[in-house]
């Protein structure tokens, strides 16, 4: 990564359509459970004052 | 999988010495520039507030690092039914996992997985105060399957790189 690579991704075409489908659907149970596990891990082991 | 109680996450300090650590691939190459980033650029990025650089210690020994920045992911055009007025460019707030490296001696112990958990957990916490909908990262084809297992979605490959993203809300 370099400074010039701080370039925001702009999704087009099929990538944009896939992204919007993903963005607009409900998270699956697996995704929700994984997010909860990550949050629990962060709160328990990682929170930096 | 390493026991999380053995891990310590902290922000990079001037005293951290990475000179004996090796973040190159097993064949000695550095296709994503991870090793060179840490040894030559990380402090500058931190000092200029371009990235927060975190270190990971295992039993007190430096083992890994990663860089985080506020970022965004955009779609060029919304699907017709999702257009709002004339707006055809939408930006979604995100945290960028910019660089991540695990020293060779500490690989295959789940440290990368824990770093991803850290990012997803942090994004959820940050999102309570500053909107954050995604964690995103850029990688190559070889490593994309690793992030797919962690439920990241991927875009198509461009210039040997792939953008990957995961919603956190």
């Amino acid at each position: 990564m370099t400074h010039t690579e701080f370039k925001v991704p702009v999704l087009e075409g099929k990538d944009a359509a896939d992204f919007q489908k993903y963005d607009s659907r409900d998270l699956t149970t697996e995704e929700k459970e994984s997010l909860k596990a990550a949050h629990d891990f962060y709160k328990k082991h990682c929170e930096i004052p | 999988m390493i026991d999380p109680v053995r891990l310590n996450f902290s922000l990079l300090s001037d005293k951290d010495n990475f000179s004996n650590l090796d973040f190159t691939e097993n064949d000695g190459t550095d296709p994503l520039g991870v090793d060179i980033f840490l040894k030559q650029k990380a402090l500058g990025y931190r000092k200029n507030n371009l990235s927060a650089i975190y270190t990971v210690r295992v039993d007190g020994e430096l083992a890994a690092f990663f860089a985080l920045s506020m970022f965004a992911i955009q779609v060029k055009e919304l699907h017709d039914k999702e257009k709002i007025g004339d707006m055809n460019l939408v930006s979604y707030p995100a945290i960028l996992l910019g660089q991540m490296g695990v020293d060779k001696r500490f690989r295959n112990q789940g440290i990368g997985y824990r770093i991803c958990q850290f990012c997803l957990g942090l994004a959820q916490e940050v999102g309570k105060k500053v909107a954050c909908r995604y964690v995103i990262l850029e990688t190559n084809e070889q490593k994309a399957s690793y992030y797919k297992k962690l439920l990241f979605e991927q875009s198509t490959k461009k210039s040997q790189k792939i953008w990957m993203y995961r919603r956190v809300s």
Side-chain angles (χ1 to χ4, degrees):
Chain A
M1 186 173 70
T2 66
H3 186 65
T4 52
E5 287 169 342
F6 263 106
K7 196 174 172 186
V8 170
V10 182
L11 304 177
E12 300 178 49
K14 184 177 181 304
D15 283 341
D18 289 347
F19 175 84
Q20 285 185 266
K21 253 184 239 167
Y22 172 71
D23 188 75
S24 58
R25 71 162 168 79
D26 290 336
L27 294 175
T28 64
T29 303
E30 184 186 17
E31 287 167 338
K32 284 180 188 170
E33 286 175 353
S34 162
L35 283 174
K36 184 180 182 314
H39 190 242
D40 291 348
F41 171 76
Y42 177 80
K43 294 290 284 182
K44 189 171 180 186
H45 297 287
C46 313
E47 207 157 26
I48 294 168
Chain B
M1 179 77 73
I2 197 162
D3 187 334
V5 299
R6 295 175 60 199
L7 300 176
N8 176 264
F9 289 75
S10 57
L11 286 161
L12 179 72
S13 97
D14 293 339
K15 294 174 187 168
D16 289 328
N17 181 2
F18 286 91
S19 59
N20 293 327
L21 278 66
D22 186 350
F23 297 101
T24 61
E25 298 295 310
N26 292 333
D27 63 3
T29 60
D30 188 17
L32 293 172
V34 176
D35 198 63
I36 203 164
F37 172 82
L38 181 66
K39 291 172 181 170
Q40 296 184 13
K41 300 175 183 173
L43 280 174
Y45 272 55
R46 193 203 66 187
K47 283 175 182 164
N48 291 294
N49 254 353
L50 294 171
S51 292
I53 314 292
Y54 288 88
T55 58
V56 184
R57 286 176 166 77
V58 176
D59 301 327
E61 191 175 356
L62 277 171
F65 82 96
F66 56 102
L68 299 180
S69 301
M70 297 306 293
F71 221 62
I73 185 165
Q74 295 181 343
V75 290
K76 195 165 186 180
E77 285 193 31
L78 287 171
H79 188 276
D80 280 348
K81 68 180 181 185
E82 292 174 313
K83 274 193 178 176
I84 303 169
D86 292 331
M87 191 165 60
N88 63 358
L89 184 69
V90 167
S91 188
Y92 299 75
I95 284 179
L96 171 70
L97 174 53
Q99 288 282 18
M100 174 173 91
V102 179
D103 178 66
K104 278 182 176 169
R105 295 168 301 153
F106 293 95
R107 288 180 189 163
N108 303 313
Q109 297 178 45
I111 294 174
Y113 168 70
R114 293 301 185 190
I115 289 172
C116 286
Q117 277 202 310
F118 178 101
C119 296
L120 293 166
L122 174 64
Q124 291 174 79
E125 277 299 299
V126 167
K128 293 175 183 173
K129 296 175 182 173
V130 181
C132 179
R133 191 166 172 82
Y134 282 90
V135 170
I136 67 172
L137 59 95
E138 193 177 32
T139 191
N140 59 21
E141 202 165 17
Q142 289 70 40
K143 295 189 186 302
S145 58
Y146 175 79
Y147 295 105
K148 287 279 280 183
K149 286 181 199 158
L150 302 179
L151 306 178
F152 279 78
E153 302 289 317
Q154 72 174 76
S155 65
T156 50
K157 185 172 70 173
K158 282 183 184 165
S159 307
Q160 305 304 313
K161 299 279 183 71
I162 294 168
W163 279 105
M164 305 203 70
Y165 50 87
R166 181 161 174 201
R167 248 172 75 196
V168 295
S169 64

